[in-house]
Each structure stands twice: as C-alpha cells, then as structure tokens.
Amino acid sequence: MAIEALIFDVDGTLADTEEAHRVAFNLAFERHRLGWTWSRTDYRQLLEVTGGKERIASYIDMLPVSAAERTRLHGLVPALHAEKTRFYTAVVQEGGVPLRDGVARLIHEALDHGCRLAIASTTTAVNIHALLTSTLGSRGLDLFAVIACGDQVRAKKPAPDIYRLALATLGLQPEQALALEDSVNGLRAATGAGLWTLVTPTFWTQGDDFAAAGLVLPGLGEPQAPLDGEPGCLLKTAGWLCFEELCALASPPPPLNTVQALYRGLTS
Ligand code: XBP
Ligand code: MG
C-alpha cells in the first residue's frame, strides 16, 4: 500500500530537545527551592518514564521521604510541570532548539509528494507549538494535518494509544503510514499500533534495543552533510534519506511469487 502519511515523534526525532527539557526541569525545581538537580546520568534513567508530569512523579516515588511528605510533593507536580514548561518554551521560542539534520528537508519532500504529516508525541501541545513555530515559521503548525500529543490519551508511550489516535484522525490504516521515532518507548508505541518505524537515536537513547525498527539511522542526513558510508550500507539512492527511499523501505513491493500469481490470474 502507498504511504499517505508520515507520523513524527517530537522530542528526539524532530529536534534533540531533551537537554533543554532537563535544564527546564532543574530551573523549576530551583524556583520551588526543592534542592533537586537532575544530572545527565539521572535524566537518561528518568527518560524511561514518558511524560514530564509522570517523570517528576516517578522521581518523587524514589525519594526517601515519609508518606505524608510524598503526598505533599505529589501535590506540587502540576505547578512544577507548568513552571518547567514555561522555562522550556522560552528557550525554544528564542530559537535555542533547532530541528535535526534532514527533518525540514524530509517534511517538504513529503508535502511536495502530496503526503500528509502528523505528530504523535508525549509532550504537551504548548511545547509542540513553540518548537514548530520557532523552527518552521508562523505556519509551521499548519504543515501537520494531525497533532496527537500529551494528555489526549490516558496511556502514554510505550502504549500505542497516541499512534492509534493519529491514525484514526488521519483515517488511515497502519500500512498506509509510517512512524519516525528516537526511543524504545516510542518504537514500542509505533510498532504496537502496527506502524513500520524509522529510528534515529540521540545521545539520550543511543545503544537502546531497536530490533523492532524497520531501519535505524544516526540521522536523516542532508545533501551537504551525507551520512557516513551512504549510499551503500543501508541506503541505496543517496547519502541522506529521501522521501522516496523512505516510502520504498516502509512498503516494499510484494514478493515475486505474489506478482507472478497476479500475472497468471490476469493472463489465464
Ligand atoms: C518525550 C517525552 C516528554 C519530554 C518532556 O516526548 O517523554 O515527556 O521528555 O516533555 P516524545 P513534557 O513522545 O515527543 O519523544 O515535559 O512536556 O512531557
Ligand atoms: Mg521521542
């Protein structure tokens, strides 16, 4: 089946955002005088929990505090996360988080081929608005037919819910779309919804188990910054992943015997 939509994850896939998120979390903790600081090592571990509010709650559950103090701290999560989001969106709106190599190119190639774009992300709509408008211009949001994100689903990644919501809103079957992700949680969510998935890991997810991915690349590459060893190792047509090759990878032609059987049927 032809690919009619690309469904992008946001954090780590459209842009390498997690360092900006980490700094924003720490600024919010400082503002609330909690004495918490998430190091890069802490954060890589904490990223196993998707969703900023859920991530803070999981951190609180690990703290050696009384039940009453734990309850009090859990009560702070919404305000902490709102503060963190203000810090994060301020950095993004100032242009502090660029798109990853090849993302803008692939987006426009897909649109030029009449392919729709969608988002399936755990982050908040506010964060997505800030990223898309700061990197793709004031009409950045309009490039995406569907934006499925944050609390629109009860079960966040690795549950497939957000991808199922994106597919349902697009009116497509999984075979008519593909997903682009950066993490194991995202890969599980996308494949759980039946989607062929390209994974482009970042520092935060490098080395995780991506065996279920249709293809793993260090990034999408650019004509002026081709991927090492490509075309050749994984890509056939160019040193960067172009829209046509991505679709061919995601929806390979039927095996020859199927084609032969079809041909026999037509000629008998
Ligand atoms: C990654 C996440 C998000 C971000 C932080 O989302 O799990 O929680 O780390 O953003 P994606 P929030 O699905 O785009 O990779 O604090 O807004 O959750
Ligand atoms: Mg991600």
Side-chain angles (χ1 to χ4, degrees):
M1 270 190 182
I3 298 295
E4 297 184 35
L6 304 187
I7 307 177
F8 287 88
D9 162 56
V10 173
D11 293 303
T13 301
L14 284 181
D16 193 348
T17 59
E18 292 298 352
E19 178 60 9
H21 281 298
R22 184 184 73 89
V23 170
F25 278 113
N26 285 335
L27 288 171
F29 300 154
E30 193 182 324
R31 176 66 60 86
H32 284 73
R33 304 191 196 299
L34 289 167
W36 304 344
T37 303
W38 288 353
S39 69
R40 285 191 177 82
T41 308
D42 297 333
Y43 195 62
R44 202 181 193 290
Q45 186 79 34
L46 286 160
L47 272 172
E48 288 176 13
V49 176
T50 61
K53 295 191 290 292
E54 295 79 2
R55 193 166 303 140
I56 299 171
S58 74
Y59 176 74
I60 291 169
D61 287 342
M62 293 184 283
L63 291 175
V65 296
S66 69
E69 175 62 358
R70 198 180 310 285
T71 302
R72 183 188 76 84
L73 291 172
H74 275 296
L76 298 178
V77 170
L80 276 174
H81 191 250
E83 188 83 68
K84 173 262 173 183
T85 299
R86 278 191 288 277
F87 282 121
Y88 174 77
T89 50
V91 168
V92 171
Q93 279 155 352
E94 285 158 15
V97 183
L99 295 179
R100 291 185 66 183
D101 271 4
V103 168
R105 173 183 56 76
L106 185 65
I107 281 174
H108 291 296
E109 283 178 9
L111 292 171
D112 291 347
H113 281 79
C115 179
R116 285 183 291 167
L117 306 176
I119 277 174
S121 171
T122 310
T123 194
T124 58
V126 171
N127 289 349
I128 292 170
H129 181 278
L131 183 69
L132 294 185
T133 49
S134 71
T135 56
L136 293 167
S138 56
R139 311 288 303 212
L141 282 168
D142 298 341
L143 301 178
F144 293 80
V146 169
I147 296 183
C149 65
D151 295 335
Q152 288 175 342
V153 291
R154 195 186 49 74
K156 294 186 174 176
K157 298 175 185 177
D161 301 39
I162 198 74
Y163 277 103
R164 287 185 177 145
L165 174 63
L167 283 167
T169 314
L170 285 162
L172 295 178
Q173 293 302 313
E175 303 73 36
Q176 297 173 289
L178 62 89
L180 298 94
E181 268 288 352
D182 72 299
S183 69
V184 173
N185 279 329
L187 175 60
R188 286 194 189 125
T191 52
L195 287 158
W196 184 97
T197 304
L198 167 72
V199 174
T200 54
T202 65
F203 158 78
W204 302 99
T205 58
Q206 191 64 43
D208 290 352
D209 175 8
F210 298 123
L215 177 65
V216 181
L217 285 174
L220 297 177
E222 290 282 17
Q224 61 275 26
L227 299 175
D228 290 346
E230 302 302 348
C233 308
L234 296 166
L235 301 177
K236 296 191 184 68
T237 59
W240 54 93
L241 183 61
C242 60
F243 174 74
E244 297 93 329
E245 183 158 5
L246 174 57
C247 292
L249 286 163
S251 50
L256 197 55
N257 53 8
T258 311
V259 172
Q260 283 165 331
L262 280 174
Y263 180 71
R264 269 200 298 276
L266 287 175
T267 53
S268 57

